[in-house]
Amino acid sequence: MSQRRKRRNRKHNKRSVHWFMFAYLLLLASPCTCFLPNFWSRVLTLSWDSYTHQYITEQAILNVTLDTLQQHQGYHAEEKVRCNIYGNYDKKYFHIGFYICPPLQTRLGRGFWRAVGEVVHSNAEMDFLSTTRSDPVYHFDSERVDSAAAMLRRFWAHTLLSVRANEHQSALQSLGRLFHSLQDFYSHSNWVEMGQRSIYHHLLQPDEPAVPVAEGDTPTCMECFSATCRNNLLPRLTSTQADSQLLTTGYFSTFPPKPEGKCSHGGMLDSSRSMAAKGGINKDSTSPLFSPHHFLHVEAATLASEATLSVLRDLRDTVGHKTFFRLFSVKQAPALVFVMDTTGSMFEEITAARLRAHSIIQNRAALPEQPGSFLLVPFHDPGVGPVYETDDPHRFMEHMENLMALGGGDEPEMCLTAIQLALTHSPPLSEIFVFTDASPKDAHMFDVVKALALAKQSKVTFLLTEDPNYTTESKARRRERRRTRRGKRSREPLPPDRFSLYSSLSSFSGGLTIFTSNSDIHSVSSVVEDNTAADKVTLLHVEIDQEQMSSHSFRVDTSVKDVTVHITGLLSQCILIDPSGRTQSLLSEQGSLASLEPFNGLYRLRLLPPIRPGQWNLQATGDGHVAFNIIADSSVDFLYYFATVTNETHPGLARIEGSPVAGVPAFLVLAVTGLSSHDEKVSFSHVMLLGAEGESLKKVLLNSSSSFSASSSYTTEDLIGWVDSIPRAPFCVRLTGRDGGGNKLERVATEMVQPTHVQIQVLSAPPLVPGHSTTVDFNILNHGPDRVFSLTAEDDSGYLHTRGTQRFHVAAHKLFHSQVGLHTPTSAQAGATVTLTLSVHALDPADTNYAVAYLTVVPPDPDISPPSCSATRVQSSCPPACNESTWTVSLVVSDRGRSGLAALQLQKGQGTLTLLPPPAGDKLGEANPDQHVQHKATLVEGDPPLNVSQWALGSSEPLWGSYTSSCCSARAELLVWDTAGNMKRCHLASGQQRQLSDTRTEYSGGGPVMPTDFSFLMLLLLCSELLS
């Protein structure tokens, strides 16, 4: 192809992208009924300067995380510099409450941003799911303030239950739902119009003062006949006098019907906006087309941001910073997950796993990160489990030392069920290592396990000490093997493809299947150590079935270190070529490019330093199935998902759950993680969708969707690409760009996407109440011809009413609604998560897809009332010379709920808090500190929480306390928890009438300076590109 034709094609492709963007900008704009869901919503509504749910949520999590890291890395308050979201000091961003301070030593990687993504996705789902998008309670619409506030408190209780039960996936989802509704309150209500400059604490703390909600027959708005509605609220609805204020929120559409004189939500397609009183009050965006009160958008976003920050600080202080870090995968080493066959033939394999675990634990002991989580799932036949999970490496080693190879003797075993348990208990992005010599007895679990592996983006690698080609063996040989292999299984003729499910599962998930021997298992198990080190990225992952020479290239960029190559199978020739053209025949010579360790079933290759950046090549000839997996150390990696435009009442990109539909268009959304201040010249151009053998199926051009600045080490670069047609063949995703030196940069996500013509949409994930039954509703969408489908439902706790396969017919391009029932036993532990996996199949033509739902067990009547604090006496006489006097406040702490007090902590303050129960018979506030009591304690700042649950207090019995401090330290903060996990912040001050006050965060009232004509400029640039 000539250079002229290439340039013409590139220009045509670029212009096609611009036409596509232009069409979406002008034609797909639609109304919204809340803050815009995500970054793409700004494009669809022509409001690039709007704050979205995604932006508010991401920045709040990021800033509380960085603030917590600073607190626990030796930073002092006076050393903190407030910065804007791009990492640069700028006082105009003070009012937003977001700041990123100078770089810390901890880099936030894929695990952190995946956890943040789960919260963001759960937040956005409230706008996209048919069961929540039109329900006014989820969005603080239609004056359903009390019901919405009660729901917020339930979300908070569910989040705490899940965190304490170490069920992080459920906790992140509950947190996202909570954030969505909480943020909507400030956009949909008249809180901002009343002149409020602090968040509404009553929403999550029922004991805080409440503003009454307007009655159903009380008019709230006046008529407005323009897109911008200024002063359309009735005077009492904008009053700044606390004793005369009324709350209202706008009505949307036709449900529930809007009474005459009430405010509408407003916006282009809000049908209620034309009913009296006409207009609306939402502040969702900066566009008057969609937000009648667009001029107050920044003020609403500011308060929504501060409310989100407040929830995250409360969560951190309630569960502790270490648990908070685990929840968001901060400073966490990768999980070590073993699925171990424990039958009598597995002595060598268990020993190898034990030695690898010991080596990994020793290596991690010197690292600043937490050692991570450790998980072991033993199995044999018919038993599976129990699951052993711990964050203590020494306890894990003790458990491994006690693991014995006993019993068993004949194939097959319950391996897939054990992998299911490992997937449900391990964090996302885990590497799961399966040690066995037996084929699976539970083949019916394959689709469930595959669904879980793909949903959690976890890799499954099998280390098999068995020859898959074995079919028969003599009695003498069997006797010899039993003597030499400590009771290896007696042999019967077995099919040579009995391990095919293992190979398929490792291929789908991006892992490996390694057939080795007992004599080599100790060396082969080095793949465990190689793949569980921090900051591992994949440069190449290919599987081939051919005997002729194949060539595979991979790119090394300047951020890459310690490149390791794993090759499974049998090679007859392997040649390595570096970017300068130098070669090394790996099987026949030693050289300066790489060192090779050949084992039975595995070749382990390490590039020798200095590793030259550029394109490397592997030329290999294999005998049968061969897999190449090349990994390296680098912080630069990426996450991705497929999405479709939702043009309902909430414009944005909705993530596709399960596999995407083949042959139809979709968006590909990527987040590049790990970029630092040294990567400001890094760029990303496109994605290649690669087939199973590495062949290119489709090139997807990328555009940046974020205002990325590499001056901060903690941001991600959001990229978006338009896939005009999803390939019909399975594929993986490879990101391509260039590093700061101009070298090509490539990263591979190894899981294989399985395009399909059927989808499952889970419509509800209700909580599970012990002793009660519940149903989970879902739709099956058939994008193919008329056909019969089969559905399999599995859960990891045995709560399903019925098991087995359901069969049903679905017409072409129609949907089928169904549900599954679960019964939660009375013994179920509150906070536990039940993982429900749905798999759907069609045979003619063959199709499959999956959905995973996480259901949380909650108590039937949870205690959501926080403790209370009240002052009984104040002694304060502070002279101008503050160091010459002290101030004292006496206080009473009690629990308003049924749980009883659990713990107290002096979070801030330079004084001393003395605590003791009130003497029997004394009235509140009249306790004598000198009287003998059973318990007494003092707290100062920096002390861990004091456990008072053992003080034999009743659920309503209070604690008496006295706080004394120098007049130079005029404020203090006390945290109080009850045993249900509810927390109260008690603020003490020396010179105020009310010593126990709420947190009040004022802001300046100014908004961030954004280009007012940015939308116009973007359209102008697009037009100029189109006409050029």
Side-chain angles (χ1 to χ4, degrees):
M1 183 182 292
S2 68
Q3 293 298 318
R4 179 178 298 177
R5 181 177 297 178
K6 289 181 179 179
R7 287 195 297 271
R8 187 165 60 247
N9 287 341
R10 283 197 296 267
K11 186 173 182 180
H12 171 75
N13 292 336
K14 186 176 181 181
R15 183 169 294 182
S16 298
V17 172
H18 288 145
W19 272 116
F20 165 75
M21 294 287 290
F22 189 77
Y24 263 96
L25 286 174
L26 295 181
L27 300 178
L28 288 183
S30 66
C32 56
T33 61
C34 63
F35 281 121
L36 304 176
N38 50 40
F39 67 90
W40 193 245
S41 309
R42 296 170 174 170
V43 177
L44 297 180
T45 59
L46 305 180
S47 55
W48 284 271
D49 54 351
S50 295
Y51 292 97
T52 64
H53 281 294
Q54 176 181 352
Y55 176 90
I56 293 170
T57 301
E58 285 180 348
Q59 294 300 315
I61 296 172
L62 177 60
N63 280 273
V64 172
T65 299
L66 295 181
D67 181 63
T68 307
L69 283 169
Q70 288 174 332
Q71 291 178 20
H72 298 280
Q73 287 190 0
Y75 282 75
H76 300 288
E78 60 270 15
E79 294 177 304
K80 298 182 182 179
V81 179
R82 279 204 157 189
C83 317
N84 66 14
I85 61 167
Y86 306 124
N88 301 315
Y89 176 80
D90 192 336
K91 66 180 180 181
K92 72 188 178 190
Y93 286 89
F94 274 12
H95 72 283
I96 303 177
F98 290 153
Y99 58 95
I100 297 175
C101 292
L104 307 176
Q105 295 178 354
T106 300
R107 190 187 297 271
L108 302 175
R110 285 180 81 217
F112 172 78
W113 287 109
R114 192 186 194 281
V116 172
E118 285 300 316
V119 180
V120 169
H121 171 62
S122 182
N123 185 324
E125 262 197 331
M126 301 279 276
D127 285 338
F128 301 147
L129 290 176
S130 59
T131 52
T132 57
R133 67 188 177 205
S134 299
D135 189 332
V137 174
Y138 288 101
H139 307 284
F140 274 94
D141 287 336
S142 308
E143 298 184 323
R144 300 299 197 264
V145 176
D146 292 337
S147 298
M151 185 193 62
L152 283 183
R153 295 161 196 159
R154 288 195 297 272
F155 284 152
W156 171 252
H158 295 174
T159 302
L160 286 182
L161 281 172
S162 297
V163 172
R164 288 201 167 96
N166 207 30
E167 301 285 2
H168 294 165
Q169 184 75 21
S170 296
L172 295 171
Q173 290 183 352
S174 295
L175 198 59
R177 298 181 188 117
L178 187 159
F179 286 160
H180 185 98
S181 299
L182 181 66
Q183 291 160 6
D184 272 358
F185 169 79
Y186 298 97
S187 174
H188 295 182
S189 72
N190 62 322
W191 185 259
V192 172
E193 287 85 346
M194 288 192 296
Q196 298 287 353
R197 293 295 181 266
S198 59
I199 63 177
Y200 189 25
H201 289 275
H202 177 74
L203 294 178
L204 281 165
Q205 299 181 30
D207 59 321
E208 293 296 324
V211 177
V213 181
E215 297 290 341
D217 57 354
T218 301
T220 54
C221 266
M222 297 179 286
E223 300 283 2
C224 171
F225 300 98
S226 63
T228 299
C229 293
R230 295 183 185 272
N231 304 316
N232 63 327
L233 283 159
L234 291 174
R236 190 177 177 188
L237 279 299
T238 59
S239 173
T240 58
Q241 301 298 318
D243 57 351
S244 62
Q245 290 179 329
L246 275 182
L247 265 179
T248 188
T249 63
Y251 284 73
F252 181 81
S253 192
T254 58
F255 177 80
K258 186 180 96 168
E260 185 175 353
K262 288 292 186 181
C263 298
S264 288
H265 178 86
M268 283 179 57
L269 294 183
D270 174 14
S271 58
S272 75
R273 81 188 191 284
S274 60
M275 302 166 58
K278 296 180 176 64
I281 64 170
N282 91 72
K283 298 162 282 295
D284 295 334
S285 73
T286 57
S287 170
L289 295 176
F290 310 121
S291 300
H293 282 202
H294 60 92
F295 50 90
L296 294 174
H297 170 75
V298 171
E299 286 82 353
T302 298
L303 289 175
S305 301
E306 181 55 41
T308 307
L309 288 165
S310 178
V311 169
L312 286 165
R313 293 181 190 119
D314 284 352
L315 178 63
R316 175 198 62 195
D317 293 338
T318 298
V319 302
H321 76 276
K322 290 185 178 180
T323 301
F324 185 84
F325 285 161
R326 282 196 294 271
L327 174 64
F328 286 104
S329 297
V330 178
K331 297 180 63 176
Q332 304 297 305
L336 181 60
V337 186
F338 287 152
V339 176
M340 184 66 65
D341 184 344
T342 58
T343 49
S345 60
M346 293 296 294
F347 175 82
E348 296 293 345
E349 292 87 339
I350 292 173
T351 302
R354 187 182 295 141
L355 292 175
R356 284 299 162 193
H358 185 263
S359 176
I360 290 169
I361 289 168
Q362 279 191 322
N363 291 337
R364 290 182 180 180
L367 298 177
E369 291 84 5
Q370 296 296 317
S373 58
F374 300 87
L375 192 80
L376 173 66
V377 185
F379 72 93
H380 48 87
D381 181 19
V384 177
V387 177
Y388 182 78
E389 185 176 4
T390 181
D391 294 323
D392 187 331
H394 302 294
R395 289 187 178 181
F396 184 74
M397 277 311 305
E398 289 177 4
H399 193 81
M400 289 291 294
E401 293 292 343
N402 294 327
L403 194 65
M404 302 295 292
L406 299 171
D410 57 343
E411 284 226 6
E413 307 290 355
M414 301 291 286
C415 182
L416 294 178
T417 302
I419 299 173
Q420 178 202 19
L421 289 177
L423 284 164
T424 55
H425 284 81
S426 60
L429 307 177
S430 290
E431 298 261 3
I432 295 171
F433 298 94
V434 184
F435 292 78
T436 187
D437 59 359
S439 58
K441 186 176 185 178
D442 44 2
H444 64 282
M445 293 293 294
F446 175 78
D447 289 318
V448 171
V449 172
K450 183 180 81 169
L452 288 169
L454 293 175
K456 301 189 80 168
Q457 295 177 286
S458 291
K459 301 176 186 178
V460 184
T461 290
F462 293 88
L463 291 90
L464 302 174
T465 48
E466 181 58 279
D467 181 0
N469 298 316
Y470 167 78
T471 55
T472 186
E473 190 171 30
S474 68
K475 291 182 180 179
R477 179 62 175 160
R478 288 202 298 271
R479 285 194 298 270
E480 176 65 18
R481 279 180 175 264
R482 280 197 294 270
R483 285 195 299 269
T484 60
R485 296 182 65 192
R486 299 174 183 258
K488 195 72 181 176
R489 288 179 176 83
S490 59
R491 305 300 178 93
E492 299 293 340
L494 297 170
D497 63 345
R498 63 191 182 278
F499 296 113
S500 61
L501 291 183
Y502 294 162
S503 299
S504 296
L505 183 58
S506 66
S507 295
F508 287 139
S509 67
L512 297 170
T513 296
I514 305 171
F515 293 98
T516 188
S517 62
N518 275 7
S519 59
D520 275 8
I521 186 62
H522 293 267
S523 300
V524 168
S525 64
S526 60
V527 298
V528 177
E529 210 159 341
D530 292 341
N531 285 280
T532 54
D535 291 330
K536 285 296 181 183
V537 299
T538 303
L539 306 181
L540 175 73
H541 185 85
V542 174
E543 298 185 26
I544 59 171
D545 285 287
Q546 60 185 37
E547 295 186 3
Q548 63 265 31
M549 173 77 74
S550 62
S551 181
H552 309 281
S553 65
F554 61 96
R555 303 278 180 169
V556 173
D557 58 88
T558 53
S559 73
V560 162
K561 298 178 179 63
D562 297 331
V563 179
T564 303
V565 182
H566 295 136
I567 306 173
T568 67
L570 183 61
L571 296 178
S572 58
Q573 185 180 20
C574 188
I575 299 172
L576 180 67
I577 307 172
D578 80 351
S580 67
R582 292 187 302 162
T583 66
Q584 179 180 342
S585 180
L586 297 169
L587 301 184
S588 59
E589 64 176 286
Q590 292 184 345
S592 60
L593 299 184
S595 62
L596 175 68
E597 297 176 275
F599 308 119
N600 188 345
L602 176 72
Y603 299 88
R604 182 171 181 260
L605 172 69
R606 297 179 70 92
L607 301 193
L608 298 175
I611 302 174
R612 185 187 295 267
Q615 178 176 303
W616 292 66
N617 283 276
L618 265 176
Q619 297 178 351
T621 304
D623 182 8
H625 185 85
V626 178
F628 300 86
N629 190 63
I630 303 179
I631 58 177
D633 291 352
S634 174
S635 64
V636 180
D637 209 340
F638 74 102
L639 298 161
Y640 76 94
Y641 62 87
F642 289 93
T644 57
V645 171
T646 175
N647 204 30
E648 302 286 341
T649 56
H650 304 82
L653 285 182
R655 188 172 79 182
I656 296 173
E657 300 296 341
S659 299
V661 178
V664 302
F667 284 96
L668 178 60
V669 183
L670 298 94
V672 181
T673 64
L675 296 173
S676 72
S677 57
H678 304 293
D679 301 320
E680 57 185 13
K681 293 184 179 179
V682 173
S683 62
F684 300 94
S685 57
H686 66 276
V687 154
M688 292 298 299
L689 307 184
L690 304 175
E693 295 189 357
E695 70 277 18
S696 297
L697 301 179
K698 188 174 289 290
K699 182 177 181 179
V700 182
L701 300 179
L702 297 175
N703 290 279
S704 178
S705 63
S706 62
S707 301
F708 170 70
S709 171
S711 59
S712 169
S713 301
Y714 306 104
T715 54
T716 60
E717 181 169 10
D718 292 327
L719 304 168
I720 186 167
W722 171 247
V723 186
D724 58 358
S725 178
I726 296 290
R728 299 181 184 276
F731 62 86
C732 66
V733 177
R734 184 181 71 197
L735 173 65
T736 300
R738 292 194 179 275
D739 64 15
N743 301 292
K744 218 168 189 181
L745 181 154
E746 292 181 346
R747 298 290 184 271
V748 177
T750 56
E751 66 273 7
M752 297 297 293
V753 178
Q754 310 288 311
T756 182
H757 290 91
V758 60
Q759 286 180 292
I760 307 179
Q761 292 180 343
V762 177
L763 303 178
S764 63
L768 305 178
V769 180
H772 293 74
S773 295
T774 190
T775 58
V776 175
D777 290 82
F778 58 91
N779 288 333
I780 305 294
L781 287 78
N782 179 16
H783 297 276
D786 291 19
R787 48 190 171 161
V788 174
F789 289 89
S790 61
L791 177 81
T792 302
E794 288 286 343
D795 74 287
D796 60 339
S797 301
Y799 291 176
L800 279 166
H801 282 306
T802 57
R803 278 184 161 73
T805 301
Q806 302 179 37
R807 295 175 64 86
F808 45 85
H809 177 270
V810 186
H813 304 287
K814 298 294 182 181
L815 66 81
F816 176 81
H817 178 81
S818 187
Q819 57 184 207
V820 294
L822 302 95
H823 180 78
T824 309
T826 55
S827 59
Q829 184 67 37
T833 292
V834 176
T835 303
L836 174 67
T837 308
L838 304 173
S839 301
V840 64
H841 294 267
L843 297 178
D844 188 19
D847 256 330
T848 182
N849 212 335
Y850 64 90
V852 179
Y854 301 92
L855 313 176
T856 303
V857 178
V858 302
D861 185 21
D863 176 8
I864 59 175
S865 298
S868 66
C869 305
S870 58
T872 61
R873 184 171 52 194
V874 180
Q875 294 177 326
S876 177
S877 179
C878 290
C882 62
N883 58 351
E884 297 178 358
S885 186
T886 61
W887 60 279
T888 300
V889 58
S890 299
L891 62 148
V892 173
V893 181
S894 61
D895 183 29
R896 293 176 179 268
R898 306 176 303 275
S899 304
L901 295 173
L904 297 92
Q905 183 181 30
L906 186 63
Q907 179 81 345
K908 298 176 183 177
Q910 301 302 309
T912 300
L913 177 69
T914 303
L915 293 170
L916 62 160
D922 281 3
K923 295 182 180 179
L924 203 62
E926 298 179 357
N928 181 1
D930 297 326
Q931 186 170 343
H932 172 74
V933 292
Q934 184 177 0
H935 297 281
K936 183 175 181 179
T938 58
L939 289 173
V940 297
E941 183 181 7
D943 285 348
L946 173 67
N947 184 355
V948 298
S949 61
Q950 305 300 318
W951 286 23
L953 300 173
S955 61
S956 60
E957 189 172 350
L959 283 177
W960 182 86
S962 176
Y963 178 78
T964 301
S965 175
S966 165
C967 287
C968 296
S969 176
R971 295 182 180 276
E973 181 179 83
L974 174 67
L975 305 184
V976 186
W977 295 274
D978 64 15
T979 56
N982 301 301
M983 187 187 73
K984 175 71 175 180
R985 290 185 185 272
C986 305
H987 291 267
L988 315 178
S990 62
Q992 298 178 353
Q993 191 67 25
R994 184 186 181 207
Q995 280 73 31
L996 294 167
S997 59
D998 306 328
T999 301
R1000 291 291 184 260
T1001 302
E1002 299 285 340
Y1003 68 89
S1004 63
V1009 178
M1010 307 288 282
T1012 57
D1013 293 327
F1014 182 64
S1015 302
F1016 173 76
L1017 288 174
M1018 286 296 294
L1019 286 173
L1020 187 62
L1021 287 172
L1022 283 170
C1023 289
S1024 66
E1025 290 283 356
L1026 292 171
L1027 297 174
S1028 62

